[in-house]
């Protein structure tokens, strides 16, 4: 399993790619979700780091286009049995860049996302 070994370089390259071609951010997000490693907790934690960075780079137009895909994905992510994944996913709400950027965790989208995840979050309290 070489992903953790090369992860930092890969993360840097993907972020530079997105910064050079802003339109690629939506493609990267779609593929992160499409190829999400649901059965591997350590890879999910790495993917969550990448997800957070990609979310910071999305434009408002891209977020509008991807909101349904992301919301369905995020609800599914909160239903996993791994405490580390739940904690890390919910921790994204503490990222000032995602809130200030008015990303999916900012006020604009939170009013759409929170009703979808309320039932899931109320069950997560048991883990916290």
């Amino acid at each position: 399993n070489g992903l953790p070994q090369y992860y930092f370089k890969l993360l840097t390259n993907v972020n530079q790619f997105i910064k050079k071609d802003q339109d690629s951010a939506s493609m990267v997000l779609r593929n992160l979700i499409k190829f999400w490693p649901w059965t591997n907790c350590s890879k999910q934690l790495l993917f969550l780091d990448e997800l957070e960075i990609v979310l910071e780079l999305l434009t408002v137009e891209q977020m509008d286009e991807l909101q349904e895909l992301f919301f369905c994905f995020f609800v599914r992510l909160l239903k996993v049995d791994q405490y580390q994944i739940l904690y890390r996913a919910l921790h994204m709400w503490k990222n000032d860049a995602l809130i200030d950027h008015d990303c999916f965790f900012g006020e604009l989208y939170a009013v759409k996302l929170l009703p979808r995840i309320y039932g899931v979050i109320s069950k997560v309290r048991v883990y916290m």
Side-chain angles (χ1 to χ4, degrees):
N1 186 350
L3 183 61
Q5 180 181 359
Y6 300 106
Y7 173 70
F8 182 73
K9 288 182 180 182
L10 180 62
L11 183 66
T12 303
N13 289 339
V14 169
N15 293 330
Q16 288 174 350
F17 178 70
I18 291 172
K19 287 177 181 175
K20 285 185 179 186
D21 180 12
Q22 186 65 42
D23 293 337
S24 65
S26 59
M27 179 207 47
V28 171
L29 180 62
R30 277 192 184 96
N31 284 309
L32 273 173
I33 292 171
K34 181 179 179 179
F35 297 107
W36 195 264
W38 292 105
T39 59
N40 189 317
C41 181
S42 60
K43 285 183 182 177
Q44 284 188 73
L45 291 170
L46 294 175
F47 270 53
L48 279 165
D49 290 338
E50 178 66 17
L51 176 67
E52 190 167 8
I53 291 169
V54 171
L55 290 175
E56 290 176 14
L57 299 172
L58 287 174
T59 64
V60 174
E61 294 81 17
Q62 289 169 323
M63 285 185 272
D64 287 341
E65 174 191 336
L66 297 168
Q67 70 177 325
E68 185 63 31
L69 174 70
F70 179 76
F71 291 170
C72 291
F73 163 76
F74 197 73
V75 167
R76 183 177 175 198
L77 186 62
L78 294 179
K79 292 179 181 179
V80 300
D81 292 333
Q82 295 290 329
Y83 166 77
Q84 296 166 316
I85 304 302
L86 294 171
Y87 182 80
R88 182 66 184 87
L90 291 173
H91 189 72
M92 283 194 226
W93 256 289
K94 288 189 166 194
N95 181 334
D96 290 335
L98 292 180
I99 295 169
D100 294 342
H101 177 57
D102 214 6
C103 187
F104 291 124
F105 302 107
E107 200 173 315
L108 179 66
Y109 293 98
V111 295
K112 298 174 186 176
L113 178 60
L114 288 175
R116 293 176 138 191
I117 64 172
Y118 178 76
V120 177
I121 290 176
S122 65
K123 294 174 186 168
V124 169
R125 281 187 303 165
V126 175
Y127 295 108
M128 300 293 184

